[in-house]
Amino acid sequence: MATEIQIDERAREFVGRDRPMLIGGDWVNAASGKTFEVFNPATGQVLANVAEGDSEDIDRAVKTARAAFEDGPWATMKPAERGRIVHRIGDLILEHGDELAALETLDNGKPFAIARAADVPLAADNFHYMSGWATKMDGRSISPSVPYMPDAQWHAYTLREPIGVVGQIIPWNFPLLMAAWKLGPALTTGCTVVLKPAEQTPLSALRLAELILEAGVPEGVVNVVTGFGETAGAALVAHDDVNKVAFTGSTEVGKEIVKASAGNLKKLTLELGGKSPNVVYADADMETAIPGAANAIFFNHGQCCAAGSRLFVEYDHYDEVLEGVSEHAKNIKVGSGLDPDTEMGPLVSKEQQDRVQGFLDSGAEEGAKTTAGGKAREGDGYFVEPTVLSETGPEMKVECEEIFGPVVTVRPFKDASEVIPSGNETKFGLASGIWTSDIAKAHRTAKALRAGTVWINCYNVFDAALPFGGYKESGWGREMGSEVLNNYTEVKSVCAQI
Ligand code: ADP
């Protein structure tokens, strides 16, 4: 192992103490006094103790967010001023880039270099992008005809207003970035928030909340309640004074949230699982398609809802791509995220490691052939080998269920007429990839794939300006772009007879 990266001093200090949660402007313990342990996935050692919020804390946080929404200056502040504050959050993220990246590596396990080069700047960029929308949340002027009042004159227009108190529940795969995706649009539109980070990875959201206060967001606008999904998360979803819940996580929990949120019919957006097809046509540039297909699945250890986990390759180049992706998998350096040579860190938790191992066992039982990897690594930390499976079929668990780990299935196909139905043969519809040098074929295939994102000759390209979200069981609504703003605003029609 190369010399470990020196952990940013502030990050070391941040994990060294018990972490309270943020309600209003106060850093508080849970009402129950309970805490829970957060682990370093590279070692399995306890990293920090964090306040274990539950329904009582959620209720306090929601009341605080409600007061901040109704009485505070946030929703009524001049949009330019609110935009400047949201922009400043992005600046502070960049200023604290080393520290935030170190927290991500310690808490989530991802390589420091990747957290520093991707998670941190993308999180900052999301606030910067969203800040510009604060001044552009315009309504429209409308000319009604009102057929039963032929002689009347009208002045009518729409207003876009913040939706109110928002509950946001985020996962552990990109802890900082998911917080940014959620908070950016909520803040720029003037909403107030109760954010519940994933219990595996709450640290960067807590540090981000400090930076949010430092940026000038008034107290009570952002509240962060740490705790478990079944307690704190469920209480937030069921709370009758929450106007909207934005959730990113598994499809299974997403379905529970749909039911649990019904009490006050709060608005809901869901960014859920995926089982994304990645299609390599024979005319693709294999020098980019092969590493591209490997990156599509192995980026972030396969813990991406958009992961290109079902690889389809046109027959002529099937052997070449299977071998190329397998070689790539075998050469990935797996290790601690603090080792500068590491390309893939551990999975986030023991539970996740066991889950992925369960899929690998089921693949082997159902007759899949392993051409790279195939098992969890023994010893400390939650490592799983980058794995390539061939001779799989759509009926196998490894092809139809989301694994959320570094495991790809590779299947040959004859032509577009075969691969498009195969690609769409899934209950999910989050993302997809196409590799080809034929522009017309690329766009015809893009149109035919039932997925919220299609990447052509690239994969895992995310940007604050690109809407992201799912068809089918991959979710409701879109994150990012201008589309996300619809989720955080209500449209009011104002109609005056003049
Ligand atoms: P995973 O299975 O990959 O951990 P989950 O969907 O369980 O993903 O978790 C994503 C987020 O949802 C986490 O913040 C978790 O605490 C939260 N969560 C889990 N179960 C519930 C629930 N029943 N109600 C609300 N939030 C939940």
Side-chain angles (χ1 to χ4, degrees):
M1 174 171 148
T3 315
E4 269 203 358
I5 290 161
Q6 284 298 311
I7 298 172
D8 182 278
E9 207 40 58
R10 288 163 303 184
R12 192 185 291 284
E13 194 264 343
F14 193 80
V15 295
R17 285 189 281 129
D18 284 5
R19 301 306 333 168
M21 55 198 173
L22 178 65
I23 299 184
D26 301 323
W27 290 93
V28 297
N29 295 324
S32 66
K34 283 203 243 170
T35 61
F36 64 100
E37 291 176 328
V38 173
F39 297 91
N40 176 343
T43 62
Q45 306 284 311
V46 174
L47 186 61
N49 284 287
V50 176
E52 187 186 329
D54 60 26
S55 56
E56 199 177 334
D57 308 284
I58 288 288
D59 188 51
R60 260 182 70 204
V62 171
K63 286 193 170 104
T64 307
R66 172 60 58 194
F69 183 73
E70 304 294 344
D71 313 328
W74 189 243
T76 50
M77 183 181 278
K78 289 276 181 287
E81 195 181 344
R82 198 166 60 239
R84 271 196 299 274
I85 295 174
V86 174
H87 199 271
R88 175 98 183 101
I89 300 170
D91 293 345
L92 285 171
I93 289 174
L94 292 180
E95 282 169 30
H96 293 265
D98 285 342
E99 178 190 357
L100 290 164
L103 284 178
E104 289 303 68
T105 297
L106 291 170
D107 206 4
N108 164 280
K110 66 180 69 196
F112 176 83
I114 289 176
R116 191 69 187 83
D119 299 58
V120 167
L122 277 172
D125 198 45
N126 198 68
F127 284 104
H128 287 152
Y129 172 88
M130 286 299 161
S131 70
W133 282 111
T135 48
K136 298 163 194 71
M137 298 301 301
D138 298 329
R140 293 187 296 131
S141 76
I142 295 176
S143 309
S145 298
V146 195
Y148 52 87
M149 294 174 74
D151 299 327
Q153 301 280 324
W154 306 100
H155 173 52
Y157 57 95
T158 55
L159 294 171
R160 284 181 86 181
E161 298 180 339
I163 202 165
V165 174
V166 177
Q168 304 189 313
I169 299 177
I170 55 172
W172 43 259
N173 56 346
F174 295 90
L176 176 71
L177 187 57
M178 292 301 103
W181 280 19
K182 293 278 181 281
L183 289 165
L187 292 178
T188 212
T189 50
C191 296
T192 62
V193 178
V194 178
L195 176 80
K196 197 208 79 67
E199 51 270 40
Q200 296 85 349
T201 54
L203 299 178
S204 56
L206 291 170
R207 183 66 184 112
L208 176 63
E210 291 182 346
L211 298 178
I212 284 173
L213 291 176
E214 189 179 330
V217 173
E219 292 177 359
V221 170
V222 172
N223 305 276
V224 181
V225 176
T226 43
F228 292 92
E230 307 76 49
T231 49
L236 185 56
V237 171
H239 202 292
D240 277 344
D241 203 28
V242 170
N243 300 108
K244 173 206 162 54
V245 162
F247 170 76
T248 298
S250 60
T251 291
E252 193 188 344
V253 172
K255 288 180 182 179
E256 281 178 38
I257 286 178
V258 170
K259 290 184 216 143
S261 62
N264 68 340
L265 288 181
K266 55 178 66 68
K267 308 291 187 288
L268 212 51
T269 43
L270 304 168
E271 201 262 274
L272 307 176
K275 193 72 185 173
S276 299
N278 193 14
V279 177
V280 179
Y281 284 112
D283 59 12
D285 169 14
M286 294 301 161
E287 282 188 22
T288 53
I290 290 172
N295 165 63
I297 179 65
F298 297 128
F299 174 63
N300 212 45
H301 328 166
Q303 301 171 132
C304 290
C305 41
S309 51
R310 289 183 301 139
L311 179 58
F312 295 93
V313 186
E314 200 166 338
Y315 268 110
D316 285 356
H317 286 266
Y318 176 73
D319 291 338
E320 180 189 349
V321 173
L322 177 61
E323 197 183 312
V325 172
S326 303
E327 273 314 296
H328 194 104
K330 288 176 199 162
N331 289 328
I332 290 174
K333 292 190 184 62
V334 178
S336 159
L338 292 175
D339 180 341
D341 293 337
T342 290
E343 291 164 325
M344 185 187 285
L347 299 194
V348 75
S349 63
K350 178 84 181 85
E351 186 191 0
Q352 192 60 14
Q353 187 192 35
D354 291 346
R355 216 177 141 257
V356 173
Q357 182 63 60
F359 276 106
L360 295 175
D361 294 343
S362 111
E365 277 159 29
E366 291 187 297
K369 185 172 161 200
T370 305
T371 58
K375 57 183 187 319
R377 210 170 73 178
E378 307 222 328
D380 293 338
Y382 315 131
F383 297 93
V384 173
E385 294 171 350
T387 297
V388 180
L389 302 177
S390 60
E391 296 176 23
T392 58
E395 68 295 339
M396 290 187 188
K397 254 178 82 176
V398 287
E399 262 208 30
C400 53
E401 288 184 29
E402 184 178 42
I403 298 177
F404 223 66
V407 184
V408 65
T409 59
V410 191
R411 228 206 295 166
F413 69 89
K414 192 165 50 65
D415 57 19
S417 72
E418 182 186 318
V419 77
I420 288 166
S422 298
N424 287 335
E425 192 180 14
T426 165
K427 62 185 176 185
F428 298 110
L430 191 59
S432 55
I434 301 165
W435 302 82
T436 177
S437 51
D438 179 336
I439 293 176
K441 187 158 62 178
H443 292 292
R444 277 198 307 270
T445 308
K447 203 166 174 193
L449 288 171
R450 304 272 305 152
T453 291
V454 184
W455 285 296
I456 299 174
N457 293 329
C458 59
Y459 206 96
N460 282 329
V461 176
F462 295 95
D463 188 82
L466 281 170
F468 181 76
Y471 285 36
K472 301 193 263 181
E473 292 190 26
S474 289
W476 291 351
R478 293 291 178 271
E479 310 256 20
M480 303 192 287
S482 58
E483 276 75 3
V484 72
L485 303 167
N486 299 331
N487 307 334
Y488 289 91
T489 47
E490 293 279 19
V491 174
K492 179 181 281 175
S493 286
V494 181
C495 179
Q497 189 169 1
I498 55 174

